[in-house]
Amino acid sequence: MIIPALDILNDKIVRLYQGNYNLLQYYNYKLSNLLKYYVSLGINIIHIVDLDGANNPKNRQKKTFLKIINKFKNYIQIGGGIRNIHDIEYFSSLGVQRIVIGSAIIDKIHEIRKWIDLYGNDFIVAALDVRIMKNNKKIIFTNGWKKNTHIELESILKKLLSFNIKHVLCTDISCDGTLLGPNLNLYQEIVDKFPCIHFQASGGISTIDDITRLKNTKVDNIIIGRSLLEKRFTIVEAMQCWQNELSHV
């Protein structure tokens, strides 16, 4: 599935370069119009990140999200500063399709099983952001990619699988927002090792060929942000490419 991504900061659509708030690009789109357009084309899930909430959960853009969730709640996968049961319950009560949990996957790993049991494994998406180190060690970073956890990706995936996790959004930080292409080796490795997990690939996608190559790794979903906003290709072209690749599987 193709999942368009929209990052929101101060009620505006933006993109960060490798998660850096100092390297910020604003885009002149109206959020509600883009959502309406994506839904009209048959997009099932739209990935939205509250960058204010990610930076400080107390600054969550509640007014903005109340408006869009009220209209598009069945299509929204939302993340950004969701770190406890109260945050999960808040978005669950609004009726979003899925919520994305990042830092809390590491900081509150002992609670994750309870959250999955309570809300279901189709509701919770685990977001794992990695840097590829020496010897191909995939180390997880949290807290806006500032904190090195020194924990390897595979060890957390094994634990999450034991918790009955279904959806995992995995991002190579070095690729995010760069348009330099995705880390195909990363996705091929984790899909091969954890075939029961539905992976969402994110970061670096700049061409239609990137979609084809990612699809060949057998990831279940591809998240695309900057390329669509900068019209490198259209959402329709992305969807057609995905469907064409599906027909060849």
Side-chain angles (χ1 to χ4, degrees), residues 2-3 10 41-42 52 61 68 89 96 99-100 110 122 127 131 138 147 175 186-188 210 222 225-226 231:
I2 298 296
I3 302 177
N10 296 326
L41 294 175
D52 292 286
Q61 300 173 68
I68 63 169
E89 181 56 35
V96 299
I99 55 104
V100 179
H110 58 286
D122 204 42
R131 291 191 188 277
K138 307 167 190 70
K147 181 181 177 182
C175 296
L186 167 65
Y187 298 112
Q188 190 66 70
D210 287 335
I222 302 175
R226 185 177 169 189
K231 300 180 181 178

Side-chain angles (χ1 to χ4, degrees), residues 169-200:
L169 193 174
C170 186
T171 303
D172 179 343
I173 295 168
S174 68
C175 296
D176 188 73
T178 66
L179 298 177
L180 296 176
N183 186 338
L184 298 173
N185 290 334
L186 167 65
Y187 298 112
Q188 190 66 70
E189 287 181 28
I190 59 177
V191 167
D192 288 347
K193 288 181 182 178
F194 304 94
C196 294
I197 295 176
H198 292 220
F199 285 103
Q200 299 179 6

Side-chain angles (χ1 to χ4, degrees), residues 31-95:
L31 178 58
S32 59
N33 289 347
L34 262 185
L35 292 172
K36 185 176 180 180
Y37 176 63
Y38 288 151
V39 169
S40 74
L41 294 175
I43 288 291
N44 294 316
I45 301 175
I46 302 161
H47 179 71
I48 294 181
V49 180
D50 176 6
L51 290 175
D52 292 286
N55 202 31
N56 182 352
K58 293 181 180 178
N59 291 337
R60 194 179 305 286
Q61 300 173 68
K62 288 189 176 182
K63 288 185 178 180
T64 297
F65 292 120
L66 280 172
K67 289 179 184 177
I68 63 169
I69 291 171
N70 187 47
K71 291 182 180 179
F72 304 101
K73 60 185 177 184
N74 295 328
Y75 302 93
I76 301 298
Q77 170 178 292
I78 193 162
I82 300 174
R83 295 172 187 167
N84 55 55
I85 191 71
H86 303 293
D87 295 333
I88 298 171
E89 181 56 35
Y90 172 73
F91 284 112
S92 174
S93 67
L94 294 180

